Short mmCIF file of all heavy atoms in Angstrom, two decimals:
data_model
loop_
_atom_site.label_atom_id
_atom_site.label_comp_id
_atom_site.label_asym_id
_atom_site.label_seq_id
_atom_site.Cartn_x
_atom_site.Cartn_y
_atom_site.Cartn_z
N MET A 1 10.37 -29.36 -0.15
CA MET A 1 10.86 -28.26 0.67
C MET A 1 11.24 -27.08 -0.21
O MET A 1 11.94 -27.25 -1.22
CB MET A 1 12.08 -28.69 1.49
CG MET A 1 11.72 -29.58 2.67
SD MET A 1 10.64 -28.74 3.87
CE MET A 1 11.75 -27.50 4.52
N PRO A 2 10.77 -25.88 0.10
CA PRO A 2 11.11 -24.72 -0.73
C PRO A 2 12.62 -24.48 -0.74
O PRO A 2 13.30 -24.62 0.28
CB PRO A 2 10.38 -23.56 -0.05
CG PRO A 2 10.08 -24.03 1.34
CD PRO A 2 9.93 -25.51 1.26
N GLU A 3 13.14 -24.15 -1.91
CA GLU A 3 14.58 -23.95 -2.07
C GLU A 3 14.90 -22.45 -2.04
O GLU A 3 14.32 -21.67 -2.77
CB GLU A 3 15.05 -24.54 -3.40
CG GLU A 3 16.53 -24.39 -3.66
CD GLU A 3 16.94 -24.91 -5.02
OE1 GLU A 3 16.13 -25.61 -5.66
OE2 GLU A 3 18.08 -24.59 -5.45
N LEU A 4 15.82 -22.07 -1.17
CA LEU A 4 16.22 -20.66 -1.06
C LEU A 4 17.00 -20.24 -2.29
O LEU A 4 18.00 -20.86 -2.65
CB LEU A 4 17.06 -20.45 0.20
CG LEU A 4 17.57 -19.02 0.44
CD1 LEU A 4 16.41 -18.05 0.64
CD2 LEU A 4 18.52 -18.98 1.63
N ILE A 5 16.53 -19.19 -2.96
CA ILE A 5 17.24 -18.65 -4.12
C ILE A 5 18.25 -17.61 -3.67
O ILE A 5 19.43 -17.66 -4.01
CB ILE A 5 16.25 -18.01 -5.12
CG1 ILE A 5 15.24 -19.05 -5.61
CG2 ILE A 5 16.99 -17.40 -6.30
CD1 ILE A 5 14.10 -18.45 -6.42
N THR A 6 17.76 -16.63 -2.87
CA THR A 6 18.64 -15.59 -2.35
C THR A 6 17.90 -14.80 -1.27
O THR A 6 16.70 -14.99 -1.06
CB THR A 6 19.12 -14.64 -3.47
OG1 THR A 6 20.17 -13.80 -2.98
CG2 THR A 6 17.98 -13.77 -3.97
N VAL A 7 18.63 -13.92 -0.61
CA VAL A 7 18.02 -12.98 0.34
C VAL A 7 18.62 -11.61 0.07
O VAL A 7 19.81 -11.49 -0.26
CB VAL A 7 18.27 -13.40 1.80
CG1 VAL A 7 19.76 -13.51 2.11
CG2 VAL A 7 17.60 -12.42 2.77
N ILE A 8 17.79 -10.58 0.15
CA ILE A 8 18.31 -9.22 -0.01
C ILE A 8 18.00 -8.41 1.24
O ILE A 8 17.01 -8.65 1.92
CB ILE A 8 17.72 -8.51 -1.25
CG1 ILE A 8 16.21 -8.25 -1.07
CG2 ILE A 8 17.99 -9.30 -2.52
CD1 ILE A 8 15.62 -7.31 -2.10
N ARG A 9 18.87 -7.47 1.54
CA ARG A 9 18.67 -6.53 2.63
C ARG A 9 18.04 -5.28 2.03
O ARG A 9 18.51 -4.77 1.00
CB ARG A 9 20.01 -6.18 3.28
CG ARG A 9 19.93 -5.12 4.38
CD ARG A 9 19.49 -5.74 5.68
NE ARG A 9 19.62 -4.79 6.78
CZ ARG A 9 18.65 -4.01 7.23
NH1 ARG A 9 17.46 -4.04 6.66
NH2 ARG A 9 18.85 -3.22 8.26
N VAL A 10 16.97 -4.79 2.64
CA VAL A 10 16.32 -3.57 2.17
C VAL A 10 16.46 -2.51 3.25
O VAL A 10 16.11 -2.74 4.41
CB VAL A 10 14.83 -3.80 1.86
CG1 VAL A 10 14.23 -2.54 1.24
CG2 VAL A 10 14.64 -4.97 0.92
N ILE A 11 16.98 -1.35 2.86
CA ILE A 11 17.15 -0.25 3.80
C ILE A 11 16.36 0.96 3.28
O ILE A 11 16.20 1.13 2.07
CB ILE A 11 18.63 0.12 3.99
CG1 ILE A 11 19.28 0.49 2.66
CG2 ILE A 11 19.39 -1.02 4.67
CD1 ILE A 11 20.74 0.92 2.75
N PRO A 12 15.85 1.79 4.19
CA PRO A 12 15.10 2.98 3.74
C PRO A 12 16.01 3.93 2.98
O PRO A 12 17.13 4.21 3.41
CB PRO A 12 14.61 3.61 5.05
CG PRO A 12 14.75 2.54 6.08
CD PRO A 12 15.90 1.68 5.65
N GLY A 13 15.54 4.42 1.83
CA GLY A 13 16.31 5.39 1.06
C GLY A 13 16.00 6.80 1.51
O GLY A 13 15.07 7.04 2.29
N SER A 14 16.76 7.75 1.01
CA SER A 14 16.53 9.16 1.37
C SER A 14 16.64 10.00 0.11
O SER A 14 17.67 10.55 -0.20
CB SER A 14 17.55 9.63 2.41
OG SER A 14 18.87 9.39 1.95
N TYR A 15 15.52 10.04 -0.63
CA TYR A 15 15.51 10.76 -1.90
C TYR A 15 14.41 11.82 -1.93
O TYR A 15 13.96 12.25 -2.97
CB TYR A 15 15.31 9.79 -3.08
CG TYR A 15 16.31 8.67 -3.08
CD1 TYR A 15 15.98 7.42 -2.56
CD2 TYR A 15 17.59 8.86 -3.59
CE1 TYR A 15 16.90 6.38 -2.55
CE2 TYR A 15 18.52 7.84 -3.59
CZ TYR A 15 18.16 6.60 -3.07
OH TYR A 15 19.09 5.58 -3.06
N GLY A 16 13.90 12.18 -0.76
CA GLY A 16 12.80 13.14 -0.72
C GLY A 16 11.49 12.53 -1.20
O GLY A 16 10.57 13.25 -1.58
N MET A 17 11.41 11.19 -1.19
CA MET A 17 10.21 10.50 -1.66
C MET A 17 9.55 9.67 -0.57
O MET A 17 8.71 8.84 -0.84
CB MET A 17 10.56 9.57 -2.83
CG MET A 17 11.10 10.27 -4.04
SD MET A 17 11.47 9.11 -5.35
CE MET A 17 12.25 10.19 -6.54
N ALA A 18 10.00 9.85 0.65
CA ALA A 18 9.47 9.04 1.74
C ALA A 18 7.96 9.24 1.89
O ALA A 18 7.45 10.35 1.78
CB ALA A 18 10.17 9.40 3.05
N GLU A 19 7.26 8.13 2.13
CA GLU A 19 5.80 8.18 2.27
C GLU A 19 5.43 8.16 3.75
O GLU A 19 6.07 7.48 4.55
CB GLU A 19 5.17 6.99 1.54
CG GLU A 19 5.40 7.01 0.04
CD GLU A 19 4.84 5.78 -0.65
OE1 GLU A 19 4.29 4.90 0.05
OE2 GLU A 19 4.97 5.68 -1.89
N ASP A 20 4.38 8.88 4.10
CA ASP A 20 3.86 8.90 5.46
C ASP A 20 2.74 7.86 5.54
O ASP A 20 1.72 7.98 4.86
CB ASP A 20 3.31 10.30 5.77
CG ASP A 20 2.88 10.44 7.23
OD1 ASP A 20 2.18 9.53 7.72
OD2 ASP A 20 3.23 11.46 7.85
N GLU A 21 2.95 6.84 6.35
CA GLU A 21 1.99 5.73 6.40
C GLU A 21 0.61 6.18 6.83
O GLU A 21 -0.41 5.68 6.34
CB GLU A 21 2.52 4.62 7.32
CG GLU A 21 3.75 3.92 6.76
CD GLU A 21 4.13 2.69 7.56
OE1 GLU A 21 3.26 1.84 7.80
OE2 GLU A 21 5.31 2.58 7.95
N GLU A 22 0.52 7.13 7.76
CA GLU A 22 -0.77 7.61 8.23
C GLU A 22 -1.49 8.38 7.11
O GLU A 22 -2.70 8.21 6.91
CB GLU A 22 -0.58 8.52 9.45
CG GLU A 22 -1.87 9.14 10.00
CD GLU A 22 -2.88 8.12 10.50
OE1 GLU A 22 -2.50 6.92 10.66
OE2 GLU A 22 -4.05 8.49 10.72
N VAL A 23 -0.75 9.20 6.39
CA VAL A 23 -1.33 9.95 5.27
C VAL A 23 -1.82 8.98 4.19
O VAL A 23 -2.93 9.15 3.65
CB VAL A 23 -0.29 10.94 4.68
CG1 VAL A 23 -0.78 11.50 3.35
CG2 VAL A 23 -0.01 12.06 5.66
N GLU A 24 -1.02 7.96 3.91
CA GLU A 24 -1.40 6.98 2.88
C GLU A 24 -2.65 6.20 3.33
O GLU A 24 -3.52 5.89 2.51
CB GLU A 24 -0.25 6.01 2.61
CG GLU A 24 0.98 6.65 1.97
CD GLU A 24 0.69 7.17 0.56
OE1 GLU A 24 -0.16 6.60 -0.14
OE2 GLU A 24 1.31 8.19 0.18
N ARG A 25 -2.74 5.88 4.62
CA ARG A 25 -3.90 5.15 5.14
C ARG A 25 -5.18 5.99 4.97
O ARG A 25 -6.21 5.47 4.53
CB ARG A 25 -3.69 4.81 6.62
CG ARG A 25 -4.80 3.97 7.23
CD ARG A 25 -4.65 3.88 8.74
NE ARG A 25 -4.81 5.17 9.40
CZ ARG A 25 -5.99 5.77 9.61
NH1 ARG A 25 -7.12 5.19 9.20
NH2 ARG A 25 -6.04 6.94 10.23
N ILE A 26 -5.09 7.27 5.31
CA ILE A 26 -6.25 8.16 5.17
C ILE A 26 -6.65 8.29 3.70
O ILE A 26 -7.83 8.24 3.35
CB ILE A 26 -5.93 9.55 5.76
CG1 ILE A 26 -5.78 9.46 7.29
CG2 ILE A 26 -7.02 10.56 5.40
CD1 ILE A 26 -5.25 10.72 7.94
N ALA A 27 -5.64 8.41 2.83
CA ALA A 27 -5.92 8.54 1.39
C ALA A 27 -6.63 7.29 0.87
O ALA A 27 -7.57 7.40 0.06
CB ALA A 27 -4.61 8.76 0.63
N MET A 28 -6.21 6.12 1.34
CA MET A 28 -6.87 4.88 0.93
C MET A 28 -8.32 4.85 1.39
O MET A 28 -9.22 4.44 0.63
CB MET A 28 -6.12 3.67 1.49
CG MET A 28 -4.88 3.28 0.68
SD MET A 28 -5.28 2.60 -0.95
CE MET A 28 -6.07 1.04 -0.50
N GLU A 29 -8.57 5.28 2.62
CA GLU A 29 -9.95 5.30 3.14
C GLU A 29 -10.83 6.23 2.30
O GLU A 29 -11.97 5.88 1.97
CB GLU A 29 -9.95 5.76 4.60
CG GLU A 29 -9.45 4.72 5.58
CD GLU A 29 -9.52 5.21 7.02
OE1 GLU A 29 -9.98 6.36 7.23
OE2 GLU A 29 -9.13 4.45 7.93
N ILE A 30 -10.30 7.39 1.96
CA ILE A 30 -11.07 8.36 1.16
C ILE A 30 -11.37 7.78 -0.22
O ILE A 30 -12.50 7.88 -0.73
CB ILE A 30 -10.29 9.69 1.04
CG1 ILE A 30 -10.26 10.39 2.41
CG2 ILE A 30 -10.91 10.60 -0.02
CD1 ILE A 30 -9.34 11.59 2.47
N ALA A 31 -10.37 7.14 -0.82
CA ALA A 31 -10.56 6.56 -2.15
C ALA A 31 -11.58 5.42 -2.11
O ALA A 31 -12.45 5.31 -2.99
CB ALA A 31 -9.22 6.06 -2.69
N MET A 32 -11.49 4.55 -1.10
CA MET A 32 -12.43 3.44 -0.96
C MET A 32 -13.85 3.95 -0.75
O MET A 32 -14.81 3.44 -1.36
CB MET A 32 -12.00 2.53 0.20
CG MET A 32 -10.67 1.81 0.00
SD MET A 32 -10.75 0.37 -1.07
CE MET A 32 -11.49 -0.83 0.04
N ASP A 33 -13.99 4.96 0.12
CA ASP A 33 -15.32 5.53 0.38
C ASP A 33 -15.91 6.15 -0.88
O ASP A 33 -17.11 6.03 -1.15
CB ASP A 33 -15.23 6.59 1.49
CG ASP A 33 -14.99 5.98 2.87
OD1 ASP A 33 -15.22 4.76 3.01
OD2 ASP A 33 -14.58 6.70 3.78
N TYR A 34 -15.05 6.82 -1.65
CA TYR A 34 -15.54 7.44 -2.88
C TYR A 34 -16.05 6.38 -3.86
O TYR A 34 -17.11 6.54 -4.47
CB TYR A 34 -14.41 8.25 -3.55
CG TYR A 34 -14.81 8.79 -4.91
CD1 TYR A 34 -15.63 9.90 -5.03
CD2 TYR A 34 -14.37 8.16 -6.08
CE1 TYR A 34 -16.02 10.38 -6.28
CE2 TYR A 34 -14.75 8.62 -7.32
CZ TYR A 34 -15.58 9.73 -7.42
OH TYR A 34 -15.96 10.19 -8.65
N GLU A 35 -15.31 5.30 -3.99
CA GLU A 35 -15.72 4.23 -4.90
C GLU A 35 -17.07 3.65 -4.48
O GLU A 35 -17.95 3.40 -5.32
CB GLU A 35 -14.66 3.14 -4.95
CG GLU A 35 -13.43 3.51 -5.74
CD GLU A 35 -13.76 3.85 -7.18
OE1 GLU A 35 -14.09 2.94 -7.96
OE2 GLU A 35 -13.71 5.05 -7.52
N ARG A 36 -17.24 3.42 -3.18
CA ARG A 36 -18.53 2.88 -2.70
C ARG A 36 -19.66 3.87 -2.98
O ARG A 36 -20.77 3.47 -3.33
CB ARG A 36 -18.43 2.57 -1.21
CG ARG A 36 -17.45 1.45 -0.87
CD ARG A 36 -17.56 1.06 0.60
NE ARG A 36 -16.46 0.18 0.99
CZ ARG A 36 -15.37 0.58 1.64
NH1 ARG A 36 -15.23 1.87 1.99
NH2 ARG A 36 -14.42 -0.28 1.95
N SER A 37 -19.37 5.17 -2.81
CA SER A 37 -20.41 6.18 -3.03
C SER A 37 -20.84 6.23 -4.49
O SER A 37 -21.94 6.68 -4.81
CB SER A 37 -19.91 7.57 -2.61
OG SER A 37 -18.95 8.08 -3.53
N GLN A 38 -19.99 5.74 -5.40
CA GLN A 38 -20.31 5.72 -6.83
C GLN A 38 -20.92 4.39 -7.27
O GLN A 38 -21.09 4.14 -8.46
CB GLN A 38 -19.03 5.98 -7.64
CG GLN A 38 -18.38 7.33 -7.37
CD GLN A 38 -19.31 8.49 -7.65
OE1 GLN A 38 -19.82 8.62 -8.76
NE2 GLN A 38 -19.54 9.33 -6.64
N GLY A 39 -21.23 3.54 -6.28
CA GLY A 39 -21.90 2.28 -6.59
C GLY A 39 -20.96 1.17 -7.04
O GLY A 39 -21.41 0.14 -7.56
N ARG A 40 -19.66 1.36 -6.82
CA ARG A 40 -18.71 0.31 -7.19
C ARG A 40 -18.27 -0.47 -5.96
O ARG A 40 -18.48 -0.03 -4.83
CB ARG A 40 -17.50 0.93 -7.90
CG ARG A 40 -17.84 1.47 -9.30
CD ARG A 40 -16.60 1.98 -10.03
NE ARG A 40 -16.16 3.27 -9.52
CZ ARG A 40 -16.56 4.44 -9.99
NH1 ARG A 40 -17.46 4.50 -10.97
NH2 ARG A 40 -16.10 5.57 -9.48
N ASP A 41 -17.66 -1.62 -6.21
CA ASP A 41 -17.23 -2.51 -5.12
C ASP A 41 -15.70 -2.54 -5.09
O ASP A 41 -15.08 -3.31 -5.83
CB ASP A 41 -17.80 -3.91 -5.36
CG ASP A 41 -17.41 -4.88 -4.25
OD1 ASP A 41 -17.08 -4.42 -3.14
OD2 ASP A 41 -17.44 -6.10 -4.49
N PRO A 42 -15.07 -1.71 -4.24
CA PRO A 42 -13.60 -1.65 -4.22
C PRO A 42 -12.98 -2.73 -3.33
O PRO A 42 -13.53 -3.09 -2.29
CB PRO A 42 -13.34 -0.26 -3.64
CG PRO A 42 -14.49 -0.01 -2.72
CD PRO A 42 -15.68 -0.72 -3.33
N GLU A 43 -11.82 -3.21 -3.74
CA GLU A 43 -11.05 -4.19 -2.96
C GLU A 43 -9.64 -3.66 -2.76
O GLU A 43 -8.96 -3.28 -3.73
CB GLU A 43 -11.01 -5.53 -3.69
CG GLU A 43 -10.20 -6.60 -2.98
CD GLU A 43 -10.04 -7.86 -3.79
OE1 GLU A 43 -10.53 -7.91 -4.94
OE2 GLU A 43 -9.39 -8.81 -3.30
N ASP A 44 -9.19 -3.61 -1.52
CA ASP A 44 -7.84 -3.13 -1.20
C ASP A 44 -6.82 -4.22 -1.51
O ASP A 44 -6.80 -5.26 -0.85
CB ASP A 44 -7.78 -2.74 0.28
CG ASP A 44 -6.43 -2.17 0.69
OD1 ASP A 44 -5.47 -2.25 -0.11
OD2 ASP A 44 -6.31 -1.65 1.82
N VAL A 45 -5.98 -4.02 -2.51
CA VAL A 45 -4.95 -4.99 -2.87
C VAL A 45 -3.56 -4.36 -2.74
O VAL A 45 -2.60 -4.81 -3.36
CB VAL A 45 -5.17 -5.53 -4.30
CG1 VAL A 45 -6.43 -6.35 -4.40
CG2 VAL A 45 -5.20 -4.39 -5.32
N SER A 46 -3.46 -3.32 -1.93
CA SER A 46 -2.21 -2.56 -1.83
C SER A 46 -1.04 -3.39 -1.33
O SER A 46 0.11 -3.09 -1.64
CB SER A 46 -2.42 -1.34 -0.93
OG SER A 46 -2.89 -1.72 0.35
N LYS A 47 -1.31 -4.43 -0.54
CA LYS A 47 -0.24 -5.25 0.00
C LYS A 47 0.34 -6.23 -1.02
O LYS A 47 1.38 -6.85 -0.79
CB LYS A 47 -0.74 -6.05 1.21
CG LYS A 47 -1.18 -5.21 2.41
CD LYS A 47 -0.02 -4.50 3.06
CE LYS A 47 -0.44 -3.78 4.33
NZ LYS A 47 0.69 -3.00 4.90
#
């Protein structure tokens, strides 16, 4: 049985660095398409 080490609470910060998920998704699509256009085989490992 897996043994619990600890749990942490994560809350959104406010440092002017917040990312827009839709913008990031579009950026990933553009980057992936560019890689394919250059003959490479890209794999999304962002998660």
Side-chain angles (χ1 to χ4, degrees):
M1 285 298 292
E3 180 184 347
L4 179 63
I5 300 171
T6 191
V7 58
I8 67 168
R9 176 81 171 94
V10 186
I11 58 178
S14 54
Y15 306 98
M17 297 181 186
E19 296 176 359
D20 186 313
E21 292 189 51
E22 178 62 13
V23 168
E24 294 295 329
R25 184 190 65 77
I26 292 171
M28 279 291 292
E29 286 182 0
I30 291 170
M32 295 281 283
D33 288 343
Y34 174 77
E35 285 301 288
R36 295 188 191 100
S37 73
Q38 299 301 303
R40 290 184 285 269
D41 181 21
E43 178 187 2
D44 182 350
V45 293
S46 56
K47 296 293 186 184

